Amino acid sequence: MYLKIKVLGGGREVGRSAIIVESVGKKLLLDYGVSFDEKDRPILPLHVRPIEVLAVLISHAHLDHIGAAPYLYITGNPKLLTTRPTIDVARLLTIDFLRLNSLYVDYEMREFDRMNSNAQFVEYGEEVQVDDFSVQFFNAGHIIGSSLIYIETPGDENILYTGDFNTNQTWTLKPADTAPLKVTTLIVESTYGSRNHPPRGKMEERLIQVVEETIDRGGVALIPAFSVGRTQEVITLLYTHAPYLDIYVDGLSRDVTEIYSKHRGFLRDPVLFNKVVENINFVTDSSMRRKIVRKPCVIVASAGMLKGGPSLYYLKKLYDNSKNSIILVSYQAVNSNGHRILEEGQLLQHDVGPIKARIEWIDLSSHAGKDDIVKYTLQYKNTLRNIIIVHGDYEEALVLSTRMKEFIGEDINIYIPASGEEVEITT
Ligand SMILES: [Zn+2]
Ligand SMILES: [Zn+2]
């Protein structure tokens, strides 16, 4: 018996996650995402013929996990398994993705819709049979509907694929599930394989402090945030700590917040989230935009790295006044506008600067850190024989692998395959 795991994307890189699991000659595809080059053009994972796979299993709605999946529906019709919020959020992100990249992408919303009609929506914990494979999705704690995927293969190997996961509880989501599974092969993300996040409570305190100081000065606190997950987390934590704040949500963030509301059963505290949504304001037009920058309030707007969208619009209105604050709460890629304002205090190509407003960066990551990942892995120590590290730079993955050997033991097999490589496990 053997198990083959072929990494089509996301090997020694963050982005374009795509993994084929093959047992007794039958294949499942885990995720099929895109990444972006330095000019923001999409890069696809390696090719797979849709007819080859029994089903496509999608861990969550981020484009680096689902963005290439509609390609499979240009020529094929594979069955797709995922959670319902994943498809709803992915639809919004895909519309936005196609609007910006139609020159480089060969599919249209028609293919997305075909994918949708081939989807079987799963509940967390529900057991689904796909041919000879048994599949279960569990909460991954990363964004709404995000899943750990557990697969019992016909070759008697039990795989757990983490997708992107967070083992810490947040304001919107429960931590990644710790179901007592007999995992023999773990496919684990390593975005933060070499680093731990600063204590969450401290970060939240600082965020609230900066916001309150800004309002007391009569200023506006602009929080550029990723539209999926980060926005909802920020508004929930702000509302819980300081319900008297005047909070506005703008851009794609607004539409995603509505989807969070619709699927609030997937959230940690649906009643709380309902209250949050009732008490914040959605920005609906440009006259409202012009008005709110003139009074003390909090504006949470996409895009999280100030790449464009309303957050860049607000930055231009607010940067020149020392009463205001710009609080970055999302990861800032090198060369992104957010990274630039942190490094240089200005954004000359957008006529911004020098920035007089207070600039802050606060880590509110939705990925497990190094020690969190190791701790999570340890719970499967008794059955675990193989670990495949993906979704991280090679250096991150190497540090994680050394740490795992220290804790789990030298006899565990750890692989860090590059995209295009295949790991063969004999059982
Ligand atoms: Zn993700
Ligand atoms: Zn990802």
Side-chain angles (χ1 to χ4, degrees), residues 8 40 45 63 115 128 137 139 185 194 224 277 283 300 314 352 360 415 422:
L8 303 179
D40 254 342
L63 289 174
M115 175 170 88
V128 179
F137 284 51
N139 168 42
T185 296
S194 73
V277 173
V283 179
V300 185
Y314 290 118
V352 171
E360 287 278 339
Y415 306 89
E422 185 172 75

Side-chain angles (χ1 to χ4, degrees), residues 60 62 64-65 142 164 367:
H60 67 289
H62 279 146
D64 61 320
H65 297 260
H142 172 62
D164 292 351
H367 289 269

Side-chain angles (χ1 to χ4, degrees), residues 146-162:
S146 65
S147 306
L148 313 162
I149 304 177
Y150 179 61
I151 305 163
E152 293 181 357
T153 70
D156 284 337
E157 280 288 327
N158 300 333
I159 301 165
L160 184 69
Y161 170 51
T162 64

Side-chain angles (χ1 to χ4, degrees), residues 1 24 62 91 119 166 177 213 216 221 251 271 315 384 395 399:
M1 291 290 218
V24 298
H62 279 146
R91 172 184 296 280
N166 188 3
D177 206 311
E213 284 171 9
D216 288 349
V271 178
L315 176 72
L384 197 60
E395 294 69 32
V399 174

